[in-house]
Each structure stands twice: as C-alpha cells, then as structure tokens.
Amino acid sequence: MNRRRVSRVAFAAALILPVLFGRPADLLAQQGVTTGSIVGRIVDNTGAPLAGATVTARNVDTGTTRDVQTNADGRYTAGFLQPGSYTVTAEFPPLPAEEQGPIRVNLGDQKVVDLALQPVEVEAIAVTVPEDQVDTSEGGVVELVDQDQIENLPALGRDFTDFIALSGLVSPAPEVGTGGQFALGGGRTSATNVQIDGADANNAFFGENRGSSRIPFTFSLESIKEFQIVTNGFDVEFGDYTGGVVNAVTKGGSNEFEGSAFLYGRDQALTANTFAGQDPEDFSAKQFGFHLGGPIVRDEAHFFVSLDGQQRDQPVFAIVPGEAPNNWPADSLQRFKDILRDVYGIPQAEIDANIGTFEETEDEFSLFGRLDWQLNERHLLTVRNNYTDFENVNDRVNPEEALTHGG
C-alpha cells in the first residue's frame, strides 16, 4: 500500500511589494511569475509628460488598489497585480482625473494604458486600448489557459495539468497520458518546470509534478485560477529547466460571496467488462467537492477554500485463468502453483491468497485554503495551504502477475 501525503505551505513574500518610483517599465518585466502589470505614460492635452501624477490600479472584483507615481518622463509601472480586471485612474490636480477600464490583466501580462489629462474646458477624449498587444517584455512563446477554459472544458480526473494538452507544444508521456508527465517544446519530461504561485512543484527525478504521476491530482481543479505554458526562451526567473514552464496561480476571494459544489457517481451497472472479459464486480467511483470565496473585510481582506475528493474501488485480477496471451492457460497455471509449492515451499493457502480477484482503492482528497490581505496600497499579504491525502491499495496488479506484484 502506498500512502502519500503532500502538504505545501506558501507564506508569500508578496507582502514585500515595493513599488519602484521612476523605474522604466521594462525593469519590472520579470515580476510576472505569479502576477501581471499595467504600464503607461501620463501626459497633458499638449502631450507634455506629467511628472508626479498619481496612478491608481483598482481590482474590480476585490476592490484592492495599487498606487504609483509617474517619473520625470510621465511613465509609471503598476506591478505585482494579481490576475483580474482593473480600472486605471490618473490624478494630477488641478487637472480633472481620467479613468479607463476595466482592463483584463492575465498571468504574466504587461498591459499598456496611456492617459491624457485634459483641462476643464476641454471635453475628455476616450482612449481605447486594443485587447491584443505585442508584449516586448516577454521573449518566450507563451500560451495562457484562463479561468473560462478551466471552468468550461471537460477534464478526465480533475487534474489541471490535463489542460496543457490544449497547447501544440505539449507532448504527453504516452504510457501514462498526461497524468503529471509531459514534455514541452521537444524537451525531456524532467526538463519541465511546474510552478504553483511561484513555488517549485516538481518531482525532478521522475520528471513529473510533485505527488507523482500515479496520484489523480495534487491541487484541486477548483483552486487553480489560470496558468501559462512558457517555452522557447523563457526568462531566467523560472529557474534551471530547459524544456518549458507550466506556471499556475491559485484563486482568491473577492468582494462577493461565491461558491459551487459538485457530486459525480458511477457503479458497475454503468461499467463495461474488462479487456480480459471479466465482470466489473464491486466497482464504484465517486468524485465530490466544493469551493467558497468571499470578503472578510470588503476591499481589504478576502478568503477562498476548496475541497476536491475521490473515492474509487474497482476489481483487479491477479493471474487470470483462461486463454493466452491475455490470460493463463489452466495447465500453465497449475504448473506454476506446483513449482511455488514443491520447489520453493510456499504453502498452498498463501499461493491461493495471491491469485484471483481483489479490490483496488484510489481514495484521495485535496483541501486548499487562501487568505489575501491588502495591508495598504503597496503591500499585500497572501497565506495559502494545500493538503493532499492519497491512499492507493493493490496498485499495478494485472492478469499476468500475482497480488505480490502490486503496491
């Protein structure tokens, strides 16, 4: 029996989020490992830069804000923004303030928002920012799997890494499906870096995500907000991996209470016979879970919790008598038993106890919690914990091996 427990705690250094005054936007390009940014230039109606203007990026869902100042050239960088929709407001008294948005900021984005502040007597001019822009700060090939895709596309087994197959740059390990083993950009599976909220989530020895490829999932699908697939010249911030990066961020709460629950069930009446023609007796599969998020203090503190569970029992067959090549012919099976008893001295009762039909279990639950607290306009505290419990009995038993072959 294999019993694995994976407990990951990240006490985010995001509370140390200094806003760099007067720094060009490209100097903060590498802050997008777990966040995004909005950059731009603030000018007056003549096109002259406004130094010292205040620019506020406000998250539409959580109400949290980030205030920065423009430099001598009128440029600003609002960095370390969690993925979401933002309004951008520029203020430079006595000129009237200008606002634009909502602007969608995804993981690793650097959106450009330029604003021109007009005198009172001049009618405001609306500035439209294209949704798709060339990101000059990113040198790699980046594909985004966003929250809409994660929520609406089917996923067998509820493992978020299954969604990486949406990219043409991904080659799953054929013997295991995706299941935590995959190659990016033609590299080896061990050359892939999986990150959750900026933390390493790899089992580098086997080239799979932490928890191994045999565990159904390590993080609940309910807790993943979006992720990137980064290849071909990604920044050095992602570490010493040559193939590519799967860079995921988890969900947080907002100013509105929101949640959902699900339950899935299947038994032997809905299951076909095995490839060996055996009847799937005592088969049962259940998946269940929920997520809940909302405010603790509006515009300041928010929470998010999720649970993803699985209970699966299925019959497995050890040394099945029948026709070759999938089963054991009766005479071969009897010779095998005789050798075990007469040559190796194994009692007949022990031999019989390792041949026949047995039950395999795959029981797991993954519990995730996250707290975000906007300490002030420059500092954000994030605390999260993910706990996974997995119990797998009689793993890898098959019709050609005895029960002792399993785990």
Side-chain angles (χ1 to χ4, degrees):
M1 178 180 72
N2 293 332
R3 186 175 183 87
R4 304 183 181 91
R5 297 190 177 192
V6 182
S7 182
R8 297 171 54 82
V9 180
F11 187 75
L15 74 165
I16 309 175
L17 298 180
V19 178
L20 304 183
F21 296 97
R23 295 289 297 276
D26 56 354
L27 294 183
L28 282 182
Q30 291 185 342
Q31 58 84 33
V33 176
T34 60
T35 57
S37 63
I38 298 175
V39 302
R41 192 166 184 253
I42 308 302
V43 299
D44 62 17
N45 63 320
T46 67
L50 296 177
T54 300
V55 180
T56 302
R58 182 180 184 275
N59 189 302
V60 174
D61 296 323
T62 66
T64 56
T65 60
R66 180 67 43 75
D67 290 348
V68 295
Q69 306 291 318
T70 58
N71 64 9
D73 195 35
R75 298 189 183 278
Y76 72 92
T77 296
F80 303 101
L81 302 178
Q82 297 187 35
S85 296
Y86 289 83
T87 59
V88 179
T89 305
E91 297 178 291
F92 190 81
L95 297 177
E98 289 285 343
E99 181 179 305
Q100 185 174 309
I103 308 296
R104 176 67 190 181
V105 177
N106 291 315
L107 177 63
D109 273 354
Q110 186 180 82
K111 291 297 178 67
V112 179
V113 178
D114 297 328
L115 292 173
L117 274 58
Q118 307 292 332
V120 176
E121 65 273 16
V122 178
E123 183 179 353
I125 300 175
V127 179
T128 301
V129 177
E131 278 296 319
D132 298 321
Q133 305 178 57
V134 177
D135 188 354
T136 58
S137 67
E138 177 59 64
V141 176
V142 180
E143 297 185 56
L144 178 73
V145 179
D146 60 24
Q147 192 167 348
D148 288 339
Q149 292 173 296
I150 293 176
E151 291 180 352
N152 294 301
L153 292 177
L156 179 63
R158 297 187 58 78
D159 185 353
F160 86 92
T161 62
D162 288 339
F163 287 110
I164 70 169
L166 293 172
S167 170
L169 299 171
V170 174
S171 176
E175 68 275 12
V176 294
T178 302
Q181 287 188 319
F182 37 81
L184 298 183
R188 299 182 62 177
T189 56
S190 58
T192 299
N193 180 14
V194 180
Q195 292 188 171
I196 307 291
D197 288 336
D200 186 296
N202 302 290
N203 180 347
F205 183 82
F206 292 105
E208 57 196 6
N209 56 258
R210 186 163 294 164
S212 92
S213 58
R214 288 159 64 189
I215 189 170
F217 49 83
T218 305
F219 271 78
S220 167
L221 189 63
E222 299 290 301
S223 65
I224 298 297
K225 185 170 187 177
E226 59 185 48
F227 64 93
Q228 298 171 304
I229 303 166
V230 189
T231 60
N232 298 34
F234 51 84
D235 295 328
V236 295
E237 60 192 321
F238 289 111
D240 53 348
Y241 291 86
T242 59
V245 178
V246 177
N247 182 34
V249 292
T250 55
K251 293 180 182 177
S254 69
N255 277 337
E256 302 298 329
F257 286 101
E258 183 270 338
S260 67
F262 67 92
L263 175 63
Y264 163 86
R266 184 178 120 202
D267 61 12
Q268 62 266 21
L270 300 174
T271 305
N273 290 343
T274 70
F275 290 112
Q278 300 292 326
D279 184 29
E281 298 176 355
D282 301 322
F283 180 91
S284 174
K286 302 182 182 69
Q287 289 181 307
F288 52 89
F290 75 93
H291 80 267
L292 178 65
I296 300 174
V297 178
R298 290 183 63 85
D299 297 343
E300 293 185 15
H302 306 86
F303 77 94
F304 181 89
V305 294
S306 69
L307 172 70
D308 218 319
Q310 169 182 296
Q311 290 181 335
R312 182 183 178 94
D313 301 311
Q314 63 184 15
V316 290
F317 308 96
I319 306 185
V320 177
E323 297 295 328
N326 293 325
N327 301 324
W328 285 56
D331 58 342
S332 297
L333 179 57
Q334 188 59 51
R335 286 172 52 207
F336 176 62
K337 290 181 178 181
D338 293 343
I339 292 173
L340 291 176
R341 183 187 64 249
D342 300 337
V343 177
Y344 295 98
I346 300 176
Q348 185 67 46
E350 185 173 340
I351 296 173
D352 294 337
N354 283 276
I355 297 175
T357 302
F358 303 92
E359 182 181 73
E360 178 187 11
T361 65
E362 290 186 4
D363 296 339
E364 177 187 4
F365 72 88
S366 181
L367 180 64
F368 175 82
R370 173 168 170 162
L371 171 66
D372 295 286
W373 181 16
Q374 187 78 36
L375 303 176
N376 53 47
E377 69 275 6
R378 300 185 189 179
H379 298 87
L380 170 68
L381 171 65
T382 294
V383 181
R384 70 154 171 81
N385 183 70
N386 187 75
Y387 176 80
T388 299
D389 185 288
F390 176 47
E391 183 172 1
N392 191 194
V393 180
N394 292 333
D395 179 32
R396 295 189 293 186
V397 174
N398 63 70
E400 299 176 358
E401 302 283 353
L403 181 66
T404 51
H405 173 76

